Amino acid sequence: MSTAGSLERWFNFLPPGPVAEAYLKSQKRIVAIMGPVAGGKTWTTCVKLLNFAAAQRPSPIDGIARFRCLCVRNVYKELEDTTIPTWHEIVPANVGKMTGGKHGEPGKHALNFDVKDLQTGAVKPVKFEILFRAIGDKKVEDVCRGIEPTCFWLNEADLVSPLVFPYALTRLNRYPGNMHGGPDWTGILMDYNAPDTENYVYTLTEETKPESLGFFRQPGGLDAGAENLMNLRGGRAHYERMLEDMKGQDWLIRRMIHNQYGYSRDGLPVYEKSYDDTRHVSHVPLTPIGRRLVVAFDAGRTPAAILLELGPDNEVRILGELVCENMGATLFAPEVVSWLAELAPGADIDAVADPSACFGNDAGEETWVDIMMALTGLDIQPAFTNDIDTRIQAVETALLRNVAGGKPGLIMDPRCKVLRKGFNSGYCLKRKQISGVERYADKPDKDSPFSHPHDGLQYGVMEVLGENALRGREDRGFKRRVEQRQRMDREKGRDTWSDDPLGGFAA
């Protein structure tokens, strides 16, 4: 058996920060950590594997605790250049028996060590194996077939074939076998840098969110709570130098340093410089506080509705989204009624919509808004303006504000998946080539599925923030709608438009 001294870095490991420590302690079946480069994620995962092995119950037959991990990357060069060397920083190659892992071959590191059993206090022997495999150009099942692991480790999980994860779920809970007592814990470990929003790990951790998942997101490398700085030369200066060296590589900086989700380089997110996914998304679902609820609509065959309100500190609170496809007003209206009854039962709700949906043609035909009002009972008013620059500016105003206690001026319910994905990547300016030079369009892509809910959001933000978010508008139609809102608020006993909800921010 190897000695404790041979595994000194494991026994003396200090987590690089509170997020990594929570990841280290999690007993969930699927445990994922996302962080900036050099955040200590892989080291922590290595230690987590050894901790699980040490906690495994001994076999009733021979008293040995058994644990086997299958570590998967896409190609062997990734294993040889990064994963295996990092593993050997925790467990030296001369401890136990290391075979393969070079020149494009599978690797295996077998360890035998003694630890004190957590239940009985007695010393128990542990038999630990970690297998290193790459998918390459083979099928996932061909690479993993016949291997019965206690767990899978998807190192740099966002770069691993998305077929590995579902296959891994079918191979768990097999080692050690029942004759040796079965595994105390079995599951999948994932560590990675922030991916783009089309990656399967984004879907897993931010959208499907199974009960079996433990997801841990480290702060960015330049954030106040950045982790692992004590192990980096120069501490925070490590990331500052990296930022300087990567000038012009905004897409990589966003992911690798700031730990923000990436976006397709075919488009530039409209709110790329004002939206922060870690700041503007609530950690818990939001419920109405009743100050003033507004539902804002974008019309058409792909209609959207956004429910929002002005919070106690004059922050914009986005409470919910309803996005439908291939649906006219007649079918959309009952969906809206059910949705509002679920989110805000019995509430008095104001409503606004795309101004172009409020006015019919010269023949006096019924408009989209006419139908919606008849079927929902809402009094839907035209939004203040359809000018896209003004609308985007209103949302940016909310995003960039700080309210009481340094809280963000806009906070969104985590269930608003379409809006969130639009903020991160989907609601964008399309890239185009002009004389061989890359440029971006001046207006957001109207063909994007994220355009409709974000249009609705813009109408709603203008409504709840009021004229202070829209100063600089001089046309008479806009002024007339401002006066109409003021009149409506007075009739309802509100002073929303006279108490300067932005505190002079936009003046």
Side-chain angles (χ1 to χ4, degrees):
M1 296 293 173
S2 66
T3 64
S6 301
L7 298 175
E8 181 179 359
R9 283 203 168 173
W10 169 39
F11 284 105
N12 297 324
F13 180 76
L14 292 176
V19 176
E21 182 175 11
Y23 164 73
L24 184 65
K25 293 179 178 179
S26 176
Q27 299 287 314
K28 290 281 192 175
R29 187 176 176 88
I30 306 165
V31 198
I33 183 169
M34 182 180 87
V37 293
K41 304 178 296 299
T42 304
W43 268 36
T44 305
T45 303
C46 295
V47 170
K48 187 174 180 67
L49 288 169
L50 291 167
N51 285 355
F52 274 134
Q56 171 63 33
R57 79 187 76 174
S59 165
I61 295 177
D62 56 18
I64 298 175
R66 290 170 168 82
F67 192 94
R68 178 184 295 143
C69 171
L70 177 56
C71 175
V72 181
R73 292 288 301 259
N74 259 4
V75 295
Y76 278 104
K77 183 170 176 56
E78 295 170 346
L79 283 170
E80 295 169 19
D81 291 351
T82 60
T83 308
I84 293 176
T86 301
W87 168 255
H88 286 323
E89 290 178 4
I90 299 293
V91 184
N94 61 1
V95 176
K97 184 178 181 180
M98 178 71 198
T99 57
K102 297 179 180 179
H103 312 301
E105 295 181 352
K108 176 180 176 180
H109 197 175
L111 304 173
N112 295 297
F113 55 90
D114 295 333
V115 295
K116 185 176 291 187
D117 188 88
L118 298 178
Q119 302 297 323
T120 66
V123 174
K124 66 180 179 185
V126 177
K127 182 178 181 179
F128 177 94
E129 296 176 340
I130 182 167
L131 311 177
F132 299 97
R133 297 287 188 276
I135 303 301
D137 57 2
K138 298 179 181 179
K139 293 182 179 179
V140 171
E141 54 264 43
D142 290 341
V143 174
C144 302
R145 183 183 293 136
I147 301 175
E148 296 186 341
T150 313
C151 78
F152 280 75
W153 171 21
L154 308 188
N155 180 227
E156 301 292 352
D158 59 313
L159 303 179
V160 174
S161 166
L163 298 177
V164 173
F165 178 80
Y167 184 83
L169 290 172
T170 71
R171 305 294 298 177
L172 298 177
N173 205 34
R174 301 191 181 207
Y175 185 85
N178 289 336
M179 64 181 294
H180 290 298
D184 283 332
W185 175 88
T186 183
I188 301 174
L189 303 182
M190 309 168 75
D191 65 293
Y192 54 95
N193 304 121
D196 63 61
T197 58
E198 299 305 312
N199 195 283
Y200 80 97
V201 294
Y202 178 90
T203 303
L204 173 72
T205 59
E206 299 291 4
E207 295 185 348
T208 57
K209 297 182 179 180
E211 286 292 325
S212 56
L213 171 70
F215 174 51
F216 301 88
R217 183 174 184 174
Q218 292 179 301
L222 293 173
D223 292 348
E227 301 195 341
N228 203 42
L229 297 182
M230 66 284 202
N231 292 317
L232 300 179
R233 185 177 180 182
R236 195 178 304 277
H238 172 87
Y239 289 108
E240 292 170 347
R241 287 192 297 269
M242 188 183 299
L243 187 67
E244 180 67 24
D245 292 341
M246 294 172 67
K247 271 187 177 178
Q249 304 294 321
D250 292 349
W251 186 78
L252 274 177
I253 289 171
R254 177 185 175 94
R255 296 175 54 238
M256 301 301 176
I257 296 179
H258 299 310
N259 198 29
Q260 294 286 336
Y261 290 113
Y263 51 86
S264 168
R265 279 164 282 185
D266 289 333
L268 180 68
V270 171
Y271 302 108
E272 193 263 342
K273 296 189 182 302
S274 53
Y275 175 77
D276 184 336
D277 196 66
T278 61
R279 177 171 167 78
H280 292 116
V281 180
S282 173
H283 296 297
V284 297
L286 302 178
T287 55
I289 58 173
R291 184 176 180 188
R292 186 193 181 203
L293 285 173
V294 171
V295 59
F297 296 104
D298 187 58
R301 294 296 302 179
T302 312
I306 308 299
L307 183 67
L308 63 169
E309 69 181 346
L310 198 63
D313 295 313
N314 294 320
E315 75 276 20
V316 174
R317 305 177 81 240
I318 306 173
L319 305 175
E321 64 179 14
L322 177 65
V323 184
C324 297
E325 294 183 0
N326 193 24
M327 188 177 290
T330 303
L331 292 177
F332 187 52
E335 296 287 337
V336 170
V337 171
S338 299
W339 173 67
L340 290 177
E342 179 181 348
L343 289 184
D348 180 21
I349 300 175
D350 292 338
V352 294
D354 177 354
S356 65
C358 298
F359 306 107
N361 57 27
D362 293 338
E365 292 180 356
E366 209 173 26
T367 68
W368 188 91
V369 164
D370 290 334
I371 298 171
M372 288 293 293
M373 288 198 294
L375 296 178
T376 64
L378 294 167
D379 179 16
I380 305 175
Q381 297 294 320
F384 292 106
T385 179
N386 210 0
D387 177 72
I388 186 64
D389 292 330
T390 303
R391 287 157 41 194
I392 290 173
Q393 177 186 319
V395 176
E396 286 182 333
T397 295
L399 289 170
L400 293 170
R401 290 178 64 221
N402 287 326
V403 297
K407 294 185 297 184
L410 182 148
I411 189 74
M412 178 168 55
D413 189 292
R415 295 168 293 186
C416 294
K417 296 177 181 178
V418 184
L419 280 175
R420 182 180 183 184
K421 205 166 186 177
F423 271 124
N424 275 309
S425 64
Y427 185 59
C428 64
L429 309 175
K430 290 187 73 171
R431 187 174 64 173
K432 55 186 180 180
Q433 293 278 344
I434 300 177
S435 301
V437 179
E438 288 188 357
R439 293 286 188 270
Y440 291 98
D442 293 330
K443 308 295 182 187
D445 179 13
K446 286 296 293 181
D447 295 327
S448 163
F450 304 98
S451 174
H452 305 285
H454 271 273
D455 284 351
L457 174 65
Q458 291 157 9
Y459 300 137
V461 170
M462 289 191 299
E463 182 66 23
V464 298
L465 287 186
E467 60 183 321
N468 294 285
L470 305 167
R471 289 177 182 164
R473 295 286 304 176
E474 298 296 338
D475 59 276
R476 285 193 291 178
F478 172 77
K479 290 183 177 180
R480 186 167 59 249
R481 287 195 284 276
V482 169
E483 292 169 358
Q484 183 184 39
R485 290 296 190 283
Q486 292 171 329
R487 194 162 52 247
M488 289 172 56
D489 284 343
R490 285 194 296 270
E491 290 171 357
K492 293 186 178 184
R494 291 193 304 251
D495 61 349
T496 308
W497 280 75
S498 61
D499 64 0
D500 192 5
L502 291 185
F505 176 87

